[in-house]
Amino acid sequence: MPNHDIAGERWRISEVCLQDGRTVGLAEFGPVSGFPIFWFHGTPGARRQVPAQAMDHADRVGARIIGVDRPGIGGSSNHHLDRVINYADDIAEVASALHIDRFGLIGLSGGGPYVLAVCAAMPDQVAAAAVLGGVAQSAGPEKATGGPVPLLRPFTKLLVRAREPLAVGATAAIKLATPAADFVFDLYMKFGPKSDRDFLARPEMREMFLVDLLAASQVSFRAIIYDAVLFSRWWGFDVSDVATPVYFWHGDSDLIVPLSHGEQLADLVPNSWLSVIPGQGHLAMLDAAEDAIDVIMTYATAPPNSAGSRR
């Protein structure tokens, strides 16, 4: 297997300036001429939260993977979105700046809601999408139960009022914890869910998570609080209106985002398919990255809106 320098050599690090003056941090790998797939990181996470094997696979199949820092993390400016759906405006500007007319989407965990938002807002530009262990809505008519996200609902007003102080505190705490990152990681390896421990025991996975989170936190780590606010609200669109083909992967032993979230999302999206991974937890869904890339690449040359419904 080729040597992966997650700190930079295989990544093309850049920023896009939006019309309102904000910046969006990007990290790309795979051929520049390949079919573009935007990758939305989890919560917590940042633009380089992509497994090493996905890099090799992108090279093999001709996929241009573009990791995007959400507002308040890494290379992206601090910004308070009103709803999850508003994130699609940022992606529309990023795609235009990169001269990308059509693309795929992959989102891990907390990146899942943003994948669905872009699908809802830009149906003619998204060829297909994949959600790995994605979070369902915790408010509104399509709300799900179970997992930690619905627990945020009673604190929505407090989160909004205290959002920025909490965000500043989160960034400061992560910076202070940086020297002990290996120790914290080892603690999770000792007490975290077994399926995640087995997954993170791989050296390349440890490197990916540590480098990604620590590099992002050197600049800003506000996104985890910003996400918490948005996930406690209605997303601003109905998931059942998403017409894009969406493929879901979810572990049946996920203790962070329960399988019921993946089942509900797959049931709501008309053109969707759910793969339940037996015995696997939350972070192990990154093992589906290669399959997700393959699925999206099958739509790369298909005309828009050419996929048939599963119903």
Side-chain angles (χ1 to χ4, degrees), residues 13-300:
I13 305 298
S14 63
E15 292 182 351
V16 165
C17 185
L18 304 182
Q19 293 179 3
D20 62 5
R22 290 185 290 124
T23 58
V24 176
L26 306 176
E28 296 187 39
F29 64 89
V32 176
S33 60
F35 183 74
I37 300 175
F38 287 107
W39 183 289
F40 297 162
H41 58 78
T43 307
R47 57 188 168 184
R48 290 183 287 189
Q49 194 185 67
V50 182
Q53 65 268 24
M55 297 188 210
D56 288 331
H57 197 65
D59 287 333
R60 287 194 296 268
V61 303
R64 176 188 178 188
I65 308 297
I66 307 167
V68 187
D69 279 337
R70 284 197 290 279
I73 193 75
S76 290
S77 302
N78 304 328
H79 182 64
H80 298 164
L81 298 169
D82 183 56
R83 304 282 175 181
V84 171
I85 188 65
N86 301 130
Y87 187 62
D89 295 334
D90 287 4
I91 298 304
E93 284 199 54
V94 171
S96 177
L98 298 179
H99 307 290
I100 293 172
D101 296 322
R102 196 157 177 265
F103 52 85
L105 297 167
I106 297 176
L108 170 69
S109 186
Y114 299 99
V115 163
L116 297 173
V118 176
C119 288
M122 306 171 67
D124 293 332
Q125 289 182 259
V126 183
V131 175
L132 315 178
V135 177
Q137 296 211 53
S138 66
E142 296 176 339
K143 67 181 180 182
T145 58
V149 175
L151 299 177
L152 297 172
R153 278 204 311 272
F155 306 102
T156 299
K157 291 182 179 179
L158 176 61
L159 281 170
V160 171
R161 288 196 297 266
R163 170 171 41 191
E164 201 55 33
L166 288 171
V168 171
T171 298
I174 293 296
K175 287 182 178 179
L176 287 173
T178 296
D182 283 301
F183 174 74
V184 174
F185 191 94
D186 289 337
L187 278 180
Y188 187 85
M189 286 291 294
K190 185 174 181 179
F191 297 107
K194 184 179 184 304
S195 58
D196 285 350
R197 296 201 308 267
D198 293 343
F199 175 77
L200 293 173
R202 306 175 199 171
E204 70 274 14
M205 291 304 173
R206 181 189 187 99
E207 179 188 18
M208 179 197 72
F209 278 102
L210 288 178
V211 170
D212 179 59
L213 294 177
L214 295 179
S217 65
Q218 289 173 6
V219 183
S220 175
F221 209 75
R222 288 171 163 85
I224 188 171
I225 305 300
Y226 295 173
D227 281 353
V229 171
L230 294 177
F231 294 167
S232 68
R233 299 171 169 174
W234 178 56
W235 293 351
F237 67 99
D238 292 332
V239 175
S240 55
D241 290 337
V242 172
T244 305
V246 182
Y247 292 76
F248 295 91
W249 278 265
H250 218 106
D252 66 1
S253 298
D254 192 332
L255 301 180
I256 298 175
V257 180
L259 175 59
S260 59
H261 281 229
E263 291 174 331
Q264 177 162 325
L265 289 171
D267 189 56
L268 287 169
V269 178
N271 295 333
S272 66
W273 296 261
L274 172 63
S275 296
V276 178
I277 313 300
Q280 293 302 310
H282 193 61
L283 297 178
M285 288 306 95
L286 281 171
D287 271 344
E290 294 168 76
D291 290 337
I293 292 170
D294 283 342
V295 164
I296 291 172
M297 291 300 289
T298 65
Y299 292 87

